[in-house]
Amino acid sequence: MSIQSNLNTIKASLPEHVTLVAVSKTKPVSDLMQAYEAGQRIFGENKIQEMTEKWEQMPKDIQWHMIGHVQSNKVKYMASYVSLIHGVDSLKLLQEINKQALKNNKIIDCLLQIYIAEEESKFGLDENELNALISSSDFKAMKNIRILGLMGMATFTEDQNQIKKEFIHLKSIFDSIQKQKEVSQNTSTLDNFSTISMGMSGDYQLAIECGSTMVRIGSSIFGGR
Ligand SMILES: *Cc1c(COP(=O)(O)O)cnc(C)c1O
């Protein structure tokens, strides 16, 4: 199957309110250009250097999403052009993003990554850490970031019930933040809190059933890595 037909099939299966991030990590620019020519404008990469090389070579109306783990000292390399950072999981990283956004005279959109899997290796905040973070005065003081929502990755397993449980958990955390936001008028940083980034090639339909509004799909579009 061609990249274009894979993309069209997936897009046709997505409800209108769900945004597709085409995860193009490890794939050559020629593959990304096929998706671009089929109309795709949002691409996800997990390494800053690779994303920057692709950004340099490709049309400038593409929105680049960083979906991988980000080291603070590398934020500066993508700050000028990145459109959404999915994997933010510490105040320190947020502060660095805020600082680099300020330097570039822009606001950078972020998602906070929540730890929902049973594996030890996945990054992210738990619910208590999330609540502590968003209620801190350091958080409220940052003017050059916006938190658009939450991101999570389910356990790598065939067990659909396990995955479903984890997605529902993420949705419930998301709902509780939205509720808090309504009562406390927390901070303008959370004004645009409306996105749940969950679901990949193997589990995106289940993720959408559980409330996902943004799916990150790689191998089903571009083939295996
Ligand atoms: C690679 C990756 C994806 C896409 O995975 P596929 O199974 O190829 O769809 C989604 N999210 C993150 C964070 C990734 O690193």
Side-chain angles (χ1 to χ4, degrees):
M1 289 295 263
S2 71
I3 289 169
Q4 175 170 10
S5 64
N6 291 341
L7 192 58
N8 288 338
T9 306
I10 289 166
K11 281 202 306 209
S13 76
L14 298 179
E16 195 126 353
H17 69 276
V18 175
T19 301
L20 171 63
V21 179
V23 175
S24 48
K25 61 191 187 196
T26 78
K27 298 296 177 180
V29 164
S30 57
D31 283 8
L32 279 69
M33 278 310 297
Q34 287 185 45
Y36 180 85
E37 275 151 18
Q40 184 63 24
R41 291 294 180 272
I42 304 177
F43 290 86
E45 291 281 336
N46 70 342
K47 296 205 168 72
I48 294 175
Q49 187 177 338
E50 181 178 344
M51 182 168 78
T52 302
E53 284 165 10
K54 289 172 174 171
W55 165 70
E56 283 167 351
Q57 295 172 60
M58 293 188 63
K60 292 299 173 278
D61 61 342
I62 291 173
Q63 295 170 38
W64 293 98
H65 287 200
M66 172 43 58
I67 63 169
H69 188 68
V70 177
Q71 288 172 280
S72 294
N73 61 353
K74 295 198 174 147
V75 173
K76 56 179 178 282
Y77 300 118
M78 64 175 169
S80 68
Y81 72 88
V82 73
S83 145
L84 180 62
I85 304 176
H86 287 234
V88 180
D89 65 356
S90 73
L91 179 63
K92 177 171 165 262
L93 177 56
L94 265 182
Q95 286 173 320
E96 177 62 16
I97 295 168
N98 187 61
K99 180 176 147 193
Q100 296 300 332
L102 186 61
K103 268 194 188 164
N104 285 275
N105 193 27
K106 67 184 278 201
I107 289 171
I108 296 182
D109 290 335
C110 300
L111 302 176
L112 296 174
Q113 183 167 358
I114 307 302
Y115 180 86
I116 53 172
E118 291 213 316
E119 294 153 10
E120 268 310 314
S121 62
K122 299 257 159 80
F123 296 102
L125 301 156
D126 68 26
E127 191 166 6
N128 293 333
E129 291 166 336
L130 172 68
N131 283 316
L133 173 62
I134 64 175
S135 54
S136 71
S137 53
D138 285 335
F139 178 76
K140 293 176 188 178
M142 289 185 280
K143 297 287 178 245
N144 287 72
I145 50 151
R146 285 194 311 189
I147 305 300
L148 298 195
L150 303 179
M151 178 267 209
M153 285 175 84
T155 303
F156 187 71
T157 173
E158 295 289 310
D159 182 351
Q160 296 293 302
N161 283 326
Q162 176 68 26
I163 296 172
K164 187 170 179 181
K165 209 173 72 188
E166 294 171 1
F167 285 156
I168 289 172
H169 183 210
L170 182 57
K171 174 67 161 73
S172 77
I173 296 174
F174 175 85
D175 288 344
S176 83
I177 302 295
Q178 276 212 317
K179 221 171 270 160
Q180 284 177 46
K181 193 187 83 175
E182 282 162 23
V183 291
S184 70
Q185 293 163 351
N186 187 304
T187 152
S188 59
T189 312
L190 288 174
D191 274 354
N192 299 77
F193 193 86
S194 60
T195 299
I196 309 181
S197 166
M198 62 182 187
M200 324 201 323
S201 290
D203 56 22
Y204 76 91
Q205 272 137 339
L206 182 56
I208 292 168
E209 279 172 37
C210 298
S212 172
T213 68
M214 186 174 275
V215 291
R216 309 176 308 267
I217 300 182
S219 44
S220 292
I221 298 173
F222 296 105
R225 287 178 297 271

